Amino acid sequence: MNDLALIGPILAAMFAAATPLLFAALGELVVEKSGVLNLGVEGMMLVGAVCGFAVTVRTGSPITGFVVAALAGAATASLFAVLTLFLLANQVATGLALTLFGVGLSALIGQGFVGIPLEGLPKLHIPGLTDLPVVGQALFGQDIMVYLAVAAVPLVHLFLYRTRAGLVLRAVGENHTAAHALGYKVLRIRFFAVLFGGAMAGLGGAFLSMDYTPMWAENMTSGRGWIALALVVFATWKPVRAMLGAWLFGGVTILQLHVQGLGIDVPSQLLSMLPYLATVLVLVLISRDVARIRLNAPACLGKLFHPDA
Amino acid sequence: MGKTVLGLAGAAIALSTGMGSVLAQEKLKVGFVYVGPVSDHGYSYQHDQGRLAVEKALGDKVTTTFVENVPEGADAERVIEQLAASGHKLIFTTSFGFMNPTLKVAQRHPDVKFEHATGYKRAANVATYSGRFYEGRTVVGAIAGKMTKSNIIGYIGSYPIPEVVGGINAFTIALREQNPKAEVRVVWVNSWYDPGKEAEAAKALIDQGADIIVQHTDSPAPIQTAQERGLWSVGQSSDMTRFGPKSHLTAIVEDWNGYYVDRVKAVLDGSWKPIDTWGGIKTGMVELAPYNPAIPAEVVTLAEQIKADIVSGKRHSFQGPVKDQSGKIVIPEGKTATDEQILKMDWYVEGVQGKVPK
């Protein structure tokens, strides 16, 4: 097989590898736009992964599995929401605790599900399109969740920038005192934003356990939640850029494996590090443009709000 | 009743309150420390099968305890110490990273006997044991040589340590003996157990034309991936057939049952000594999972012949002439690799693509 023929498969693998990141990053993006910083993405992904897997094994229905995964992610997020929004706990500390909690809880739930095989979702096959050379499989031969993740990008964008509800959500993130004075329910809006973030993280986790590698293993997200968090900043809180970031990360991840397989002489440890290195590098580059970050970062990000204060 | 199943936290509480000692006054208490969950269906699972074999064989004379998911490091020392302090007279610590913690605890408890898997440090009360897994890879290599159509074998490595590099070499030598045109492509994932990464590595190798995926990592994800793509795979540590009944050629199975029963017996009859055991196919420590029914009969016969030759000593996984990648003869004609050479292997034989990461 010549090396050019690899482009198609690499692209296809890249889109799949980017999908869990894209789900989680989009969810977190909305959360942060509402002015809340939830560092518990990894934990919520794990809970979603294990619940989706368990339900699919029990019911045989992946749709039920994904729905339950989203609900489980949202339920985990609601814990965070109650603690930070209503009991005014520190968001950073609570988010970190949520990750630890999610790791432990998912391991506990998953105990009886380790080593059970599951069939992944069927891949699409559109005669003509999927058979196109190079890009056919990558663009038209994925399974439904990959397309759902991509479809969520314009939806989130339209919601944030073209709807009244999105405007209110952004206003709450920019200046919660003013939004409150105008009569908007700051805490309620943030609560639902956090739930949405949890549901999306749950879907991202479930994509891993039910589709990407259809199995449950403890801690199987292995850091993808943290990458998703970084992607939000990387994207300067713009959905389309979050998607590009997820593709970049997925691409580098897949590419390094191919480089090894082709026997190109680069240390494998360095290659394993590359996706993370790329993320850090881009973050550093973006951070140099402070104005851009300031312009896009929600002004109330991470700040507590109490309606009576 | 001889079974005490405890999680890490549970073990700490139960052992420190001395609950374990009430269970059996006269029976020998045997402890097992695992690095992963017993439900991993791989490495720790196989060790636990050994524990169950001890229960089955000597259940009226022993009680066993296991602690799973023990991190390699300070926690391991605490767990081993608690097992020793709570009356366990024989303790198996089953991961390389438990080596130093085991020796430290052994020093404090000269009356307790320890067995450390895959390590090299021994003491008056610490024995070591491991398996010659590379022998299994020789058999698998021959099967792969007969079964490959694309002549590209994808090999997923965990860490570039001698055990894994030696396995790649043993595999490649046998592969090319059957099929001189075949080559091996290696992808290192730098983890023993990361299903996501292992699956990605398998996909990358398959996309590069590999039609057989061999793994030296513990999750069944590569088997599943191969099944999905309709290609062959080889499992690791335990029989992984059920994760890919159509793709699973066989697996290199680590079978500790006989060894564990023997060692517990040795403690019971007083003949225990801090020896080093490195067992292979001959002693039953390395086994092959049932061959896929789709493998042609003559290939099965070949595999069985190689197994028999290894057992009889007629064949060695590394018998000369063995050339390295530059074509230099490392093991000359008529010689076989010494154990020391195998234990320090950090070079690829001819037929492996790429370089060993340093």
Side-chain angles (χ1 to χ4, degrees), chain B residues 112-173:
Chain B
V112 177
K113 294 174 175 61
F114 295 85
E115 299 246 355
H116 178 243
T118 68
Y120 53 83
K121 292 185 189 168
R122 280 170 289 282
N125 59 339
V126 181
T128 51
Y129 61 102
S130 185
R132 293 177 187 270
F133 307 119
Y134 63 84
E135 291 185 351
R137 292 189 183 266
T138 296
V139 182
V140 172
I143 297 174
K146 288 286 184 199
M147 299 299 287
T148 179
K149 298 233 159 40
S150 69
N151 289 337
I152 299 173
I153 313 294
Y155 207 113
I156 304 172
S158 50
Y159 296 97
I161 56 175
E163 184 198 330
V164 183
V165 174
I168 293 170
N169 286 345
F171 175 87
T172 307
I173 292 169

Side-chain angles (χ1 to χ4, degrees), chain B residues 5 15 18 49 55 65 85 88 113 117 165 171 189 202 221 249 269 271 277 307 322 333-334 354:
Chain B
V5 181
L15 294 174
Q49 293 298 305
E55 293 258 301
T65 307
H88 292 81
K113 294 174 175 61
V165 174
F171 175 87
V189 294
L249 283 170
D269 66 24
S271 66
T277 306
K307 255 172 82 176
V322 174
E333 178 109 43

